[in-house]
Every structure is written in C-alpha cells, then in structure tokens.
Amino acid sequence: MQSSRPVGEGGPSPQGWVGEGGTSEPLAVYIHWPFCRSKCPYCDFNSHVRDGVDTVRWTRALVRDLEHQAELTTGRAVGSVFFGGGTPSLMPPETAAALLDRVRLHWAVVPDAEITLEANPNSAEAGRFRAFAAAGVNRLSLGVQALDPAALCFLGRAHDRDEAIAAIEHSREIFPRFSFDLIYARPGQTVAAWRNELDEALTLAGEHLSVYQLTIELGTAFATLARRGELVPPEEDSTAALFEITQDRLAAAGLPAYEISNHARPGAECRHNLAYWRYQDYVGIGPGAHGRLTRAGTKFATQQYRLPEKWLAAAEAKGSGIEEIAPIDRETAIEEMLMMGLRLVEGVSRARLECAARGDAEALFGSNLAPLIEGGFLILDAAHLAATSAGRQRLNAVLGALLS
Ligand code: SF4
C-alpha cells in the first residue's frame, strides 16, 4: 500500500520535498481547462458545461497552482507546455498568456519548447487562434473528429464539416505546427468509407494526425445507448480491418504511426505526449490533472481535485489544487512505464526499464516473456522492449499476460 500525504493538511511541508534531486530531463507542463460548450456523448474526460465561468478567478487560481508546482520542481527546465481540457480554446487568450509568462518566470524554458493548445473548430474559437499564437502557442491540436457530416452529428460535435475544414486551413496559416484528431470504428462505418475519409484528411493534414478508435466509456451517453442496444459498436474483425487500413494509408503518405493512435512525419511527433509515453516527469495543473515527478530516485504521483468547484476552492484557500502527493512503489512504476511505453512503436527503453527494475528484463518477466515474443506480440533487443503492430492492437491483453 502506498503512503500518501494530502498537501496543506498536516503532512510534511511540500518545501521538505523540494531540492532532493530530480532528473535532468526537461519537464512537461500540462494545464487543464475543464469547461466545454456541450458534453460529447462519447467523452469521459474531466470536462464540464457551466454557465458564466469567472475567467478572472480561474486565471488567478491556475497561476497560483502553477507557482506552487514551480516551487516543487525548482531547478528543472521545461521542454513543453500543453493546454488540454475540456476545451482550452474557450479560455481567454489572456489566460494562456498569463500562464506562459509565469512558466518563463519560474522555470528555464528550452529554446525550442513546444507549446500546444487543444482547440475545437467552431468559428468563434477559430477567430481567436491569432491571439493564442501571440500569447506563445506554437502548436495547435484540433478536435475535428470526422469529415463526414452524418458522423459529426452522431458524435455530437458542435461544429460542421465546413467549419472543420476552415479551422484546419486557418491553423495552417497561423501556427508553425498543427495536428487534428479523427475518430474511427464508428457504428456502420465501412472500410471503403473510412479510406475515402482518410484520403481527404491527408489532403488537409500537416505533419501530424491523431486517429482514435471509438471506445464506449463507462458513464457516457454512448454507454447508456449501448446498454439499451441502441448503439452497436463494430465487430472486432471490422475494427481490426479499419486499424490496419489506417496504419497502411498513413504510413504510405509519410505519416507512420509512432504511437497506437498517433502518426507523424519523423521528427514531428508531439514532444509533450512523448514525455508521458516515455514515463518522463510532468507537472499537472488544473482540475483532475495528474503529475509524475522524480525525487531522489523515487517517482511521485500528484493528483488534483477533479471537480472544478472543489479545485477552485482549494486553489484559492491553499494556493494549490493538489489533493494528494504519493510515492509510487517500484512495481507500480514498472507497470506504468510498460503501459505507457508499449503504446509507442519504439517501445520502452531497455536501460530505463532495467534501471527501474534494478535487474535485467528477462528476469523481470520470467516465463511470461518468451510466449509473447514467439507469438509475435513483443520484441526485446539490446535497446528496447517493444510491442509489434499485432501487440499494439491488443495491448491490454499483452500487458495482462506480461505482468500476470
Ligand atoms: S469537446 Fe472534447 S473534452 Fe469537451 S466534451 Fe467534447 S470530447 Fe469531451
């Protein structure tokens, strides 16, 4: 059982935790804006619909939380900042500017730092892209999700096809780097229809595309429909065929997969997300955000209050919305490293894995490893443990077999 200590509620002072030696890798900084115009029926993110968000209060509270976390990570450099949500393009650009000013004030920022904003393609939000770029955002990630009007309607998106295409063109003009997301494996979607949609996406894409398989998450409107039999997800065979066509089509167009759902021209991968998948350190600011920070060779998990109102009250009262900081035991750290790293085509660095395990990889997995290698799901060489394409398609089962 991990021990944990709530911040500001009688545990050791956070100050005692500072300066005990982290790692020299740059930090990734995640900032969560938890509000959306409406709730999409497939979404289980920490996103909420609220009337009249007090953006002045929220800006002040996010800045305080950021400053608190800068104190916990003194001496670290920052390599990337990611505004996620929710819908951070609903945030005033001045909020992004204030937060980025504080990032530069409290941390050394690497010269080519990647600063990403997630945005929805509604014309109202697209009209503010220039202001976000002026605030320092240099990469946009657009939630397009589909180019087919009926699919946009099914997915409950608040934009139409024309707005999506206009927002892609607009972001190409404004941001040095941009990406957009698509969702496939929608009910009734055929391979031929998806191939056409992907081909159109490729005519619009820049250096990066995120292509997610629709999953029915507990607690969502789609889960209710599926339970009633009113939404029937595609069969496994049909999903596998859609996955394979996605991999082949995008690789042939120069955007090979570097992660299960992410494709990029080599060198154009999302550096912020790579930090998660490589199990490097990151700071999580805002409601529900997680962090992973290394101190004196031990990983710590930080967890923020999830509900926006609760988070805001804590940030205003205590100067931080962190609910808990807890050390991660070695076994859990290895599991997390594998769960994240095996999503990547490059896999997990063998040196990193063996350092965390304090032993060699073969001994770590015992007799579980060989059948997965022989079955064509994993590869282990001198540098990496990686899942094959077949392994990435059924990663939960592979992880279950590896770690049982
Ligand atoms: S816009 Fe994004 S975060 Fe908001 S509800 Fe829809 S999918 Fe979820």
Side-chain angles (χ1 to χ4, degrees):
M1 184 75 185
Q2 294 174 14
S3 66
S4 62
R5 86 178 152 73
V7 170
E9 291 176 5
S13 158
Q15 295 303 330
W17 190 70
V18 172
E20 293 165 17
T23 78
S24 57
E25 286 163 348
L27 273 176
V29 174
Y30 176 80
I31 303 174
H32 190 81
W33 183 261
F35 305 113
C36 290
R37 281 185 198 284
S38 53
K39 185 80 180 175
C40 301
Y42 56 87
C43 176
D44 71 339
F45 296 160
N46 188 27
S47 61
H48 305 265
V49 180
R50 298 282 190 270
D51 290 332
V53 174
D54 184 339
T55 55
V56 173
R57 267 180 86 188
W58 272 89
T59 304
R60 208 182 300 130
L62 286 167
V63 164
R64 286 191 73 187
D65 193 41
L66 183 150
E67 289 181 331
H68 176 81
Q69 301 221 35
E71 280 177 33
L72 298 181
T73 53
T74 311
R76 301 288 299 268
V78 164
S80 64
V81 179
F82 194 104
F83 292 99
T87 307
S89 51
L90 290 175
M91 179 175 69
E94 297 75 27
T95 301
L99 288 161
L100 291 172
D101 281 350
R102 295 313 199 291
V103 168
R104 292 183 206 101
L105 186 67
H106 295 295
W107 285 289
V109 177
V110 305
D112 61 343
E114 176 189 272
I115 301 177
T116 303
L117 177 88
E118 284 183 335
N120 275 335
N122 313 62
S123 42
E125 287 158 55
R128 301 196 300 181
F129 287 176
R130 274 189 207 288
F132 281 113
V137 172
N138 57 25
R139 182 175 181 276
L140 199 78
S141 175
L142 267 177
V144 167
Q145 314 310 5
L147 293 168
D148 171 48
L152 283 171
C153 182
F154 164 74
L155 293 169
R157 301 297 293 171
H159 61 271
D160 62 25
R161 171 188 155 83
D162 291 346
E163 280 179 308
I165 293 172
I168 293 168
E169 296 302 347
H170 199 42
S171 48
R172 185 198 307 282
E173 285 162 19
I174 295 173
F175 295 97
R177 300 172 62 199
F178 78 96
S179 175
F180 60 91
D181 298 357
L182 295 172
I183 295 178
Y184 72 100
R186 307 180 303 242
Q189 188 176 36
T190 63
V191 167
W194 175 231
R195 192 187 292 124
N196 288 342
E197 196 170 346
L198 263 185
D199 286 349
E200 184 179 17
L202 282 167
T203 66
L204 299 163
E207 57 177 18
H208 191 285
L209 265 183
S210 299
V211 190
Y212 299 102
Q213 198 169 302
L214 179 65
T215 49
I216 307 298
E217 305 291 351
L218 274 179
T220 62
F222 274 1
T224 308
L225 292 178
R227 208 169 41 243
R228 289 192 204 133
E230 292 167 29
L231 186 159
V232 182
E235 299 287 328
E236 207 175 296
D237 282 1
S238 141
T239 302
L242 292 164
F243 177 84
E244 272 154 30
I245 190 95
T246 306
Q247 306 301 303
D248 294 350
R249 214 69 175 179
L250 296 187
L255 296 174
Y258 67 98
E259 190 266 350
I260 290 179
S261 307
N262 284 277
H263 298 250
R265 295 197 199 295
E269 299 85 0
C270 175
R271 280 176 253 147
H272 183 87
N273 288 340
L274 278 177
Y276 300 150
W277 294 318
R278 289 176 177 161
Y279 206 45
Q280 295 169 350
D281 281 6
Y282 56 94
V283 161
I285 293 162
H290 298 258
R292 290 289 182 276
L293 298 171
T294 307
R295 312 303 303 173
T298 299
K299 275 273 190 208
F300 285 77
T302 66
Q303 172 64 56
Q304 300 259 356
Y305 289 104
R306 191 172 161 84
L307 194 70
E309 291 73 19
K310 200 162 183 184
W311 181 89
L312 186 63
E316 290 182 334
K318 300 189 291 187
S320 169
I322 295 181
E323 184 177 15
E324 186 175 72
I325 300 180
I328 298 176
D329 63 52
R330 196 186 318 167
E331 199 177 306
T332 307
I334 291 167
E335 274 180 33
E336 288 190 343
M337 183 183 286
L338 291 165
M339 279 167 60
M340 300 307 280
L342 291 180
R343 298 182 63 90
L344 288 170
V345 171
E346 70 183 24
V348 178
S349 151
R350 182 170 181 142
R352 234 181 150 91
L353 178 65
E354 293 187 341
C355 177
R358 297 184 196 160
D360 64 69
E362 286 84 352
L364 175 65
F365 302 119
S367 59
N368 291 348
L369 186 60
L372 291 165
I373 293 175
E374 283 155 20
F377 301 111
L378 288 178
I379 297 166
L380 178 66
D381 62 23
H384 293 101
L385 172 69
T388 60
S389 177
R392 288 194 300 280
Q393 265 190 72
R394 41 186 78 71
L395 190 55
N396 288 343
V398 169
L399 282 164
L402 188 62
L403 297 170
S404 61

